[in-house]
Amino acid sequence: MNVLGIETSCDETSAAVVRDGRDVRSNVVSSQIELHRAHGGVVPELAARAQLTAIIPVVEAALQLAEVGLEDIDAIAVTRGPGLAGSLLVGANFAKTVAYARSIPLVGVNHLEAHLYANWLSPPGDEPGEQPAFPMLALLVSGGHTELLLMTGHGRYEQLGRTLDDAAGEAFDKGARLLGLGYPGGPAIQQAAAGGDTAAFALPRAWLGDSHDFSFSGLKTALLREVEPYRLPDEDDEPEDDAPFRKHRPPRFAEGMPVADLAASFQEAIVDVLAVKTATAARTFETPQVVLAGGVAANRALRERLTGEIEATSGTMLRVPALSYCTDNAAMVAAAGYYALRRGAQSGWELDVSSRLPVGR
């Protein structure tokens, strides 16, 4: 079965063709990073407008790379939430229009669940390996979500833990902003941390007792306190009517601020909690497999640390998706859509989007 996946939940426009939920025939992603970089983050209205411009060329490119036409597509899977409402509507309305016009089955996909299905994908040219086995523990880490899930089958989830405040990706973005490293924060922190000492600053970890929940707001505050002595005030000669744009400008710092050490210590504090709490949950629930998913799954330090923690947990193996499938993409949407269709979860033409959509909904 060839599934055309469409992903427009935030600032990427992506289309992919995936066969039988695993074999990626094409995966095209149009990024808006440069568009939003000047604003220090994603501007929803700009994102939706850019989605409108990109959606048709991206879908055409995905079909061409897969060497198929719409007549070869057996189903269309599209992200229905969570995400930015305007961006989600672009993808959903496009998918419904094509599916209706061509009489192709349609399925709406939860964006968070799609990230988990990145672990089922095989890059073009690779033979699909052994499928992930249930039950499994899933660490889902992205810009808006940090969750520990017990996945007992396709479409069957139990939330074990979640962030009580900032998500891990959000913490990386805010930390990068505090350090003047720019957007997007995760890659910027990782790059700056490469030359730093992870033990240079004793930043806090919120262990929260025996809970499987997470918290990163205190860590962000601790980083702010370390940075404040180096922060320079805004220049007094700026025009008054320029005030609304000041928040988008990088902060100014005095010479000598140990950016690399601060970034390394900050990254280590996030990775430490994520890896240790995941390994602890794996031992508690005796899951044979742990899967890593979400945009933060691309972080090198997290992948390495989690690998070490899981290898030390007897009877458990770790699966991580290819880097190209960690960030938002349509291949993971197509994979999730395939398994949803297999369990009879086809959507009707009344399919609507939801900016807030928990896993399993």
Side-chain angles (χ1 to χ4, degrees):
M1 175 186 283
N2 288 326
V3 177
L4 171 64
I6 296 174
E7 156 62 24
T8 62
S9 65
C10 190
D11 59 335
E12 274 90 20
T13 309
S14 181
V17 176
V18 178
R19 182 168 54 194
D20 297 334
R22 306 203 67 200
D23 181 11
V24 179
R25 306 289 302 279
S26 66
N27 185 43
V28 178
V29 180
S30 175
S31 175
Q32 300 178 15
I33 286 179
E34 293 305 318
L35 175 64
H36 300 287
R37 192 187 300 276
H39 303 280
V42 177
V43 180
E45 184 178 353
L46 294 180
R49 289 181 178 181
Q51 303 278 15
L52 282 169
T53 302
I55 185 70
I56 293 177
V58 164
V59 170
E60 289 177 342
L63 293 172
Q64 184 176 4
L65 284 173
E67 298 181 344
V68 298
L70 284 174
E71 66 276 8
D72 302 307
I73 297 299
D74 301 297
I76 298 178
V78 62
T79 302
R80 67 185 185 94
L84 302 176
S87 293
L88 288 167
L89 283 169
V90 173
N93 288 335
F94 179 88
K96 286 196 290 184
T97 300
V98 175
Y100 182 81
R102 307 287 300 200
S103 298
I104 302 172
L106 174 73
V107 59
V109 170
N110 184 304
H111 179 77
L112 302 179
E113 294 178 25
H115 272 301
L116 300 178
Y117 279 91
N119 286 280
W120 268 259
L121 296 173
S122 296
D126 290 0
E127 286 293 325
E130 185 178 348
Q131 292 197 48
F134 301 113
M136 67 179 69
L137 181 71
L139 174 62
L140 176 61
V141 277
S142 67
H145 301 269
T146 298
E147 301 186 37
L148 268 176
L149 303 165
L150 184 63
M151 189 174 180
T152 56
H154 293 297
R156 298 201 296 271
Y157 310 93
E158 178 184 351
Q159 187 185 72
L160 305 178
R162 61 182 178 84
T163 181
L164 302 180
D165 38 63
D166 292 349
E170 185 180 4
F172 272 120
D173 284 340
K174 290 179 177 178
R177 195 172 299 125
L178 288 173
L179 294 172
L181 296 176
Y183 170 85
I189 290 280
Q190 177 174 280
Q191 183 176 359
D197 179 2
T198 59
F201 292 88
L203 297 179
R205 276 82 160 150
W207 296 111
L208 305 178
D210 295 330
S211 168
H212 298 299
D213 291 331
F214 303 91
S215 173
F216 298 106
S217 63
L219 172 62
K220 178 193 66 179
T221 301
L223 179 64
L224 174 62
R225 288 173 178 163
E226 296 291 350
V227 168
E228 276 300 321
Y230 299 94
R231 184 79 179 257
L232 296 175
D234 292 331
E235 297 180 6
D236 294 332
D237 58 351
E238 292 184 355
E240 191 63 31
D241 58 1
D242 210 28
F245 303 98
R246 289 177 188 171
K247 66 178 181 179
H248 300 310
R249 298 194 187 120
R252 299 167 58 242
F253 299 104
E255 292 185 10
M257 188 174 81
V259 175
D261 288 345
L262 284 166
S265 299
F266 183 75
Q267 177 177 258
E268 179 65 16
I270 295 175
V271 166
D272 190 19
V273 173
L274 290 173
V276 171
K277 290 179 81 73
T278 300
T280 299
R283 290 190 291 269
T284 300
F285 293 92
E286 299 181 341
T287 51
Q289 287 194 3
V290 173
V291 297
L292 179 61
V296 182
N299 181 272
R300 187 183 310 112
L302 175 59
R303 294 165 79 97
E304 293 174 354
R305 178 65 185 279
L306 190 56
T307 297
E309 292 288 341
I310 297 303
E311 285 180 350
T313 302
S314 178
T316 302
M317 67 168 289
L318 175 68
R319 299 183 71 113
V320 296
L323 286 174
S324 57
Y325 303 137
C326 289
T327 52
D328 293 352
N329 67 90
M332 67 184 192
V333 175
Y338 169 80
Y339 289 101
L341 287 166
R342 284 186 55 179
R343 63 177 190 270
Q346 183 173 333
S347 301
W349 306 124
E350 75 282 357
L351 175 69
D352 199 0
V353 303
S354 174
S355 59
R356 297 181 181 274
L357 193 66
V359 173
R361 295 288 298 276

